[in-house]
Amino acid sequence: MTMLEDHHAPAARVPLQQSAVRPWPTGYPTGYAVVDVETTGLARDDRIVSAAVYRLTAQGDVEDHWYTPVNPLRDPGPTWIHGLTADVLADAPLFPDIAGEFAERLAGRVLVAHNAVFDWTMIAREYARAGRVAPVEQRLCTIALSKALALPLANHKLETLVAYFGVEQRRAHHALDDARVLAEAFRPSLHHAARQGLRLPLLACRPITEWSDTGGGASGRDAARPSAVSWRGGWRQTKRRPPCPYPNPGRYQAGGRLVQGMRVAFSGDTSTDRELLEDQAFEAGLHIASSVSKFTSLLVTNDPDSPTSKVARARAVGTPILDEAAFTQLLRDVAPAQEE
């Protein structure tokens, strides 16, 4: 396991107008775990290749940090992004080997991440594979927090958020550096929220409690063949989300941006787990539609020629159709809802 020394960046600037001093909100969490994981990909059978945690106090001050590479027992995926090759990871610990240390740093804290639903889902899956449950009850997405604060950002990429607070990023897509810069940007965000008396956008973390590996009895470093895993335990239970707070701006226009409030329906298999994809869309401000009508802004499907009822209905009423890859690219930069 690798532990890297702490890096201290210059104090972040405070670009928002200072408000009157008020007591720290009593309902705020007592501690945070700022997390970043790098993975072999985005699908349900992908694995974590590195993880980092910065533990913060109730007011966002750094207590300590932790980092480890993780042997995913498979191809490491996009090495050009995270820089971790199969040779580098060959002697790294397996996830069950670091699950206890990881849990110690998460226990009793709110998990904070940029696009937190992704990091939480990958962590929950790894713990389910290891026959354990991650000790996390709530998460906070810094994308949702920056939107709640109405920060004037050009987009909601991590590099844009941290640059706004004057934080220097040294190694993008390295788990420890991503966690560091996010921790440094989260502290002023948290203080802005406290000064405004803002309710933090906390979401419950639903653990995955069962994992079945039908790969024929392999274990240890010979285990974990992605094609041999299956999910149980109600992973696709119907999820009740609060209503989308934004009005429907209408249909998606080819070549344009997604806009908060657009009604998006999904049809067929997706490479990213459907629930994760829907969560990402919802947290970006989109309405998740269960059916297609003339009011649907967009249908996402990887098989536009399939005879499903949603595809047929979309063609009948003129609803635009995009594949998953195009949709996820657009999801990175969703336009804010238009003021009425």
Side-chain angles (χ1 to χ4, degrees):
M1 188 177 305
T2 303
M3 296 285 293
L4 300 187
E5 294 183 359
D6 201 359
H7 300 289
H8 298 284
R13 60 188 176 92
V14 182
L16 292 186
Q17 182 177 357
Q18 297 290 332
S19 58
V21 176
R22 63 168 69 197
W24 193 260
T26 57
Y28 276 22
T30 58
Y32 303 90
V34 178
V35 172
D36 185 75
V37 297
E38 297 298 321
T39 67
T40 61
L42 304 176
R44 69 173 63 195
D45 58 0
D46 277 300
R47 307 297 301 269
I48 289 175
V49 295
S50 65
V53 181
Y54 267 73
R55 290 196 293 190
L56 308 183
T57 67
Q59 297 194 17
D61 297 316
V62 174
E63 295 180 272
D64 58 27
H65 68 271
W66 173 84
Y67 166 82
T68 183
V70 181
N71 187 335
L73 294 171
R74 55 164 292 176
D75 186 288
T79 58
W80 60 91
I81 295 177
H82 53 62
L84 296 170
T85 65
D87 289 342
V88 169
L89 295 172
D91 295 324
L94 307 182
F95 189 86
D97 298 332
I98 58 95
E101 290 181 87
F102 201 177
E104 289 177 8
R105 287 156 176 82
L106 299 174
R109 297 169 184 267
V110 170
L111 184 150
V112 177
H114 202 66
N115 191 14
V117 63
F118 172 77
D119 294 80
W120 161 246
T121 303
M122 296 304 297
I123 291 168
R125 289 170 178 164
E126 289 288 9
Y127 272 95
R129 288 184 182 95
R132 302 177 60 162
V133 174
V136 179
E137 295 183 0
Q138 290 182 306
R139 67 179 185 266
L140 189 157
C141 179
T142 48
I143 296 176
L145 180 58
S146 66
K147 291 179 178 180
L149 290 169
L151 300 182
L153 305 177
N155 55 58
H156 292 285
K157 297 178 181 179
L158 176 60
E159 55 264 36
T160 304
L161 175 65
V162 303
Y164 177 76
F165 287 109
V167 179
E168 178 188 359
Q169 184 155 32
R170 303 186 183 99
R171 295 184 64 186
H173 299 297
H174 185 285
L176 184 64
D177 201 55
D178 280 356
R180 175 187 64 81
V181 297
L182 187 59
E184 292 183 14
F186 176 64
R187 184 180 185 278
S189 298
L190 180 64
H191 280 256
H192 291 329
R195 281 194 294 272
Q196 297 176 28
L198 183 71
R199 182 178 179 182
L200 296 178
L202 301 174
L203 293 176
C205 288
R206 182 162 61 91
I208 299 169
T209 57
E210 294 183 66
W211 167 264
S212 177
D213 185 347
T214 58
S219 61
R221 293 177 183 265
D222 296 322
R225 295 178 174 84
S227 61
V229 296
S230 61
W231 289 90
R232 300 184 297 160
W235 172 244
R236 285 294 297 138
Q237 290 177 353
T238 300
K239 185 170 187 176
R240 292 185 179 180
R241 297 182 176 88
C244 180
Y246 309 111
N248 185 358
R251 289 179 173 170
Y252 168 75
Q253 300 297 317
R257 297 169 66 188
L258 295 173
V259 180
Q260 289 180 329
M262 281 186 170
R263 298 176 64 91
V264 180
F266 298 84
S267 178
D269 292 334
T270 53
S271 59
T272 302
D273 184 86
R274 173 72 69 80
E275 184 168 352
L276 173 58
L277 192 59
E278 291 178 353
D279 279 344
Q280 290 173 335
F282 178 77
E283 292 193 5
L286 304 179
H287 175 101
I288 309 305
S290 58
S291 60
V292 175
S293 73
K294 63 180 180 180
F295 301 108
T296 305
S297 307
L298 178 67
L299 175 66
V300 178
T301 178
N302 288 327
D303 189 4
D305 297 321
S306 66
T308 65
S309 59
K310 288 182 181 178
V311 171
R313 180 63 176 163
R315 295 198 180 282
V317 300
T319 299
I321 299 174
L322 281 181
D323 64 19
E324 180 186 357
F327 176 71
T328 53
Q329 183 68 26
L330 290 170
L331 202 56
R332 298 178 181 179
D333 188 19
V334 177
Q338 301 295 319
E339 295 185 3
E340 297 186 70

